[in-house]
Amino acid sequence: MGAPTTLATLRRALANGAPAIPESERPRRRHPLEAAGLVLFSCLQSLHSCLNRSVKRAMARDKVKRNVVELCAVPAGRPGRPSKALTLVQAEAVLKAAEGSSMYAYIVVALLTGARTEELRALTWDHVFLKGRPEANPPQPPHIAVWRSVRRGGDTKTRKSRRTLALPSRCVEVLWAQFEDQGWDRLAAGDDWEENGLVFASAVGKPLDATNVRRAFRVALKDAEEINAEEWTPRELRHSFVSLLSDSGVPLEEISRLVGHSGTAVTEEVYRKQIRPVIQTGAVVMDGIFKRDLKP
């Protein structure tokens, strides 16, 4: 019998990828590929890994003589849509186009803090400190506590993802406006208002789902210069955050901390297209050691 975590992973993989599992036992929201009758590559990987570990343990207990799972290879999945990042000019165009829309505050905070879309959708006002804590020692500037997400269980993606981020002045400005606008929405909704304490919510206070955010995001971008709104998604604001910091010379270690990664290796793997080559120490030192006059 496998460990509880292994069994849970196996059940989740089967629930996501096997059509024989009863509908009542599947996750509430299924991936579009699964709805189309396709098995997700990540589900196959999870299933293969769980079976491989289980058979290895059985071999250690002399229950089986051979691990046939190792003879099987997980087929390659279809390539996903490559992510991209906004340039500074494009980012300014996006902010200008979104101003005055219902998504303006969301876009500003996402782009200027690098928070994940599932973290912003779960952000509550009790984790927003627009005045900071000047009485603290040392004084704390305006900040948000990114401690929750809309993932199952409400926790962030990883333990390192729980972080407290100082807010740029533009974020402070738009969040004060968001707080005021939400007050008017609450009055307009009357008895229909559903209080969840969310910073980003519907006109009646209900949580936003990924589809709501993506649709509103594209509407907000429709007038942005040199931007095709249909080609962009909210999560690419986070990619743009990484790219803009990297272009400005911010060290990879600091970027990794800001985006809530467990280490720089994760940041380099996930955002390899957005990060500029920064490991220049060896080249600089060697140029100094082996000085050579370059020919014109």
Side-chain angles (χ1 to χ4, degrees):
M1 196 71 175
T5 53
T6 301
L7 292 174
T9 303
L10 180 55
R11 291 193 185 101
R12 185 164 59 252
L14 289 171
N16 284 337
I21 298 298
E23 187 71 28
S24 60
E25 297 180 17
R26 293 191 177 192
R28 184 174 56 181
R29 291 177 184 167
R30 296 185 296 163
H31 193 281
L33 289 178
E34 182 194 348
L38 301 175
V39 180
L40 298 179
F41 177 60
S42 59
C43 294
L44 287 177
Q45 283 185 313
S46 297
L47 181 57
H48 184 274
S49 177
C50 289
L51 290 174
N52 190 32
R53 292 198 301 270
S54 298
V55 176
K56 282 183 177 180
R57 290 176 181 176
M59 289 176 66
R61 294 168 174 79
D62 293 326
K63 301 294 184 181
V64 296
K65 293 184 178 181
R66 189 181 184 190
N67 187 355
V68 295
V69 180
E70 291 184 337
L71 302 177
C72 304
V74 179
R78 296 179 181 177
R81 186 181 71 83
S83 295
K84 49 190 180 293
L86 297 165
T87 64
L88 177 59
V89 173
Q90 289 175 321
E92 289 176 339
V94 165
L95 293 175
K96 181 179 179 180
E99 191 167 2
S101 71
S102 61
M103 283 292 290
Y104 183 54
Y106 185 101
I107 291 172
V108 171
V109 175
L111 180 61
L112 274 61
T113 68
R116 296 178 176 90
T117 181
E118 65 264 25
E119 294 168 343
L120 289 182
R121 282 158 47 207
L123 183 64
T124 52
W125 285 112
D126 60 338
H127 285 169
V128 177
F129 304 89
L130 295 180
K131 295 182 179 179
R133 289 177 173 172
E135 74 284 356
N137 186 20
Q140 296 177 0
H143 59 277
I144 57 174
V146 183
W147 291 352
R148 294 184 59 79
S149 78
V150 295
R151 292 172 176 270
R152 188 177 301 175
D155 206 354
T156 51
K157 188 174 183 179
T158 66
R159 185 175 298 178
K160 282 289 186 73
S161 295
R162 299 187 70 177
R163 60 207 187 278
T164 301
L165 300 172
L167 290 171
S169 56
R170 190 165 188 170
C171 290
V172 175
E173 180 184 329
V174 299
L175 285 173
W176 275 120
Q178 177 76 0
F179 184 77
E180 182 179 344
D181 290 344
Q182 198 173 89
W184 289 112
D185 287 342
R186 187 181 289 104
L187 286 175
D191 293 339
D192 292 332
W193 180 263
E194 183 179 302
E195 187 56 64
N196 291 294
L198 295 169
V199 176
F200 304 107
S202 72
V204 292
K206 293 183 178 181
L208 300 174
D209 62 26
T211 303
N212 298 144
V213 173
R214 184 167 54 251
R215 184 186 302 115
F217 173 75
R218 287 173 174 169
V219 170
L221 263 61
K222 63 182 176 63
D223 294 326
E225 294 182 6
E226 299 183 7
I227 293 287
N228 183 348
E230 295 301 316
E231 295 179 353
W232 294 87
T233 62
R235 69 187 177 92
E236 284 162 337
L237 294 173
R238 178 173 163 88
H239 287 256
S240 303
F241 170 80
V242 171
S243 178
L244 292 170
L245 288 184
S246 182
D247 286 344
S248 298
V250 177
L252 182 60
E253 292 79 8
E254 192 65 23
I255 295 175
S256 180
R257 289 179 58 221
L258 289 168
V259 295
H261 284 163
S262 58
T264 57
V266 179
T267 311
E268 288 181 297
E269 172 63 24
V270 177
Y271 298 107
R272 58 189 179 277
K273 294 182 180 179
Q274 282 75 42
I275 294 176
R276 296 176 61 187
V278 294
I279 307 176
Q280 302 176 22
T281 306
V284 172
V285 172
M286 286 300 166
D287 279 343
I289 294 174
F290 299 98
K291 292 181 180 178
R292 183 177 179 182
D293 295 329
L294 298 177
K295 295 180 180 180

